[in-house]
């Protein structure tokens, strides 16, 4: 009987935690990030502010939990797109992954802005606190893209700069990152991977944060141009999205 009560309490606690995170998301999407306070979230679910501290010890802890939820949702969208093309070429799977990332971000601009208003955990943070839900979720997200590039490199290395062409500081930083995260890519290949990511991610951030509205009302073709360029850098064949001409 005691075990049943404990299990029931655990279920109720998990349900309340989920309700709190859902309330925070609702406030975020309807009123903006400044509205997501402990007291506001508590009011949303009919709870007092002090009572909510029994579930999240601080505003920062609540933010981290909601951020982890968003990372997981974005990661799932990317993985689902990748895995749905299991019989396709590596290039087609990577392009599908990148398109799914944009699809989620454009459909969830408030959540996307919430995730990336702050810094993604640094190598030091991830190493010192690897088991926090936010850090685990952020690492899983990053590996959806980088993991595919590691697989590409293992199967058929893509073009990279000559060893002497990398700035010594860049080489040292890439080596430190690879060592901290346990990645197998050599510095030259990791430099190409990061160059691809910066181009793709930079464009996506500018789009979702409305930094390109002064010139573009439709960024999708620009995103596709960027994907075409990335495919070329990685020695992959570019294939347009379904229903679009090559």
């Amino acid at each position: 009987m005691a075990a049943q009560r404990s299990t029931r309490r655990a279920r109720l606690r998990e349900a309340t935690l989920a309700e709190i995170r859902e309330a925070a998301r609702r406030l975020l999407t309807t009123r903006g990030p400044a509205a997501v306070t402990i007291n506001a979230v508590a009011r949303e679910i009919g709870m007092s502010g002090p009572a909510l501290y029994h579930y999240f010890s601080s505003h920062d802890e609540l933010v981290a939990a909601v951020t982890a939820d968003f990372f997981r949702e974005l990661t799932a969208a990317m993985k689902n797109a990748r895995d749905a093309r299991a019989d396709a070429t590596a290039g087609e799977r990577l392009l599908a992954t990148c398109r799914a990332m944009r699809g989620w971000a454009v459909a969830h601009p408030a959540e996307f802005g919430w995730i990336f208003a702050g810094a993604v955990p640094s190598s030091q943070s991830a190493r010192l606190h690897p088991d926090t839900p936010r850090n685990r979720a952020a690492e899983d997200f990053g590996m959806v893209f980088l993991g595919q590039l590691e697989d590409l490199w293992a199967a058929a290395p893509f073009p990279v700069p000559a060893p002497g062409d990398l700035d010594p500081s860049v080489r040292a930083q890439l080596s430190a990152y690879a060592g901290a995260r346990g990645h197998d890519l050599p510095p030259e290949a990791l430099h190409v991977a990061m160059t691809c990511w910066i181009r793709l991610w930079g464009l996506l951030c500018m789009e979702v944060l409305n930094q390109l509205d002064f010139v573009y009302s439709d960024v999708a073709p620009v995103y596709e141009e960027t994907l075409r360029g990335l495919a070329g850098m990685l020695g992959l064949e570019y294939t347009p999205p379904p229903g679009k001409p090559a």
Side-chain angles (χ1 to χ4, degrees), residues 3-21 45 47 54-56:
Q4 290 178 342
R5 286 197 296 269
S6 177
T7 301
R8 184 162 55 249
R9 283 197 299 270
R11 288 199 305 267
L12 289 172
R13 180 175 177 81
E14 285 303 314
T16 303
L17 287 169
E19 186 180 6
I20 291 170
R21 296 197 303 270
I45 62 172
M47 180 184 290
H54 291 295
Y55 297 91
F56 292 98

Side-chain angles (χ1 to χ4, degrees), residues 25 28-29 66 70 73 104-105 107-116:
R25 183 175 194 164
L28 169 69
T29 57
V66 175
F70 295 163
E73 192 174 307
W104 188 91
H108 303 89
E111 292 90 334
F112 180 88
W114 173 282
I115 289 175
F116 296 103

Side-chain angles (χ1 to χ4, degrees), residues 74-89:
L74 173 55
T75 300
M78 295 167 67
K79 286 183 175 180
N80 289 341
R82 177 199 65 193
D83 296 345
R85 307 297 301 275
D87 296 330
T89 66

Side-chain angles (χ1 to χ4, degrees), residues 81-224:
R82 177 199 65 193
D83 296 345
R85 307 297 301 275
D87 296 330
T89 66
E92 289 171 333
R93 289 195 301 274
L94 181 62
L95 291 172
T97 301
C98 295
R99 289 174 183 133
M101 179 172 68
R102 178 179 179 270
W104 188 91
V106 170
H108 303 89
E111 292 90 334
F112 180 88
W114 173 282
I115 289 175
F116 296 103
V120 173
S122 65
S123 293
Q124 182 179 14
S125 172
R127 186 171 64 252
L128 295 177
H129 310 287
D131 291 328
T132 65
R134 186 195 186 282
N135 280 5
R136 287 199 304 271
E139 182 74 7
D140 290 344
F141 160 70
M143 282 307 298
V144 182
F145 180 84
L146 186 56
Q148 289 184 73
L149 267 64
E150 289 182 337
D151 292 343
L152 283 173
W153 179 259
F158 42 81
V160 298
D165 289 344
L166 277 186
D167 182 281
S169 175
V170 171
R171 173 180 292 279
Q173 293 173 76
L174 292 169
S175 297
Y177 170 80
R181 299 294 182 94
H183 295 311
D184 295 328
L185 290 176
E188 296 79 17
L190 185 54
H191 179 66
V192 172
M194 291 308 302
T195 299
C196 291
W197 183 248
I198 290 167
R199 292 182 182 180
L200 192 67
W201 194 248
L203 175 60
L204 184 56
C205 288
M206 292 185 74
E207 177 185 7
V208 178
L209 299 179
N210 302 313
Q211 299 299 306
L212 296 173
D213 287 3
F214 71 98
V215 61
Y216 294 120
S217 60
D218 179 12
V219 183
V222 183
Y223 193 81
E224 283 301 317

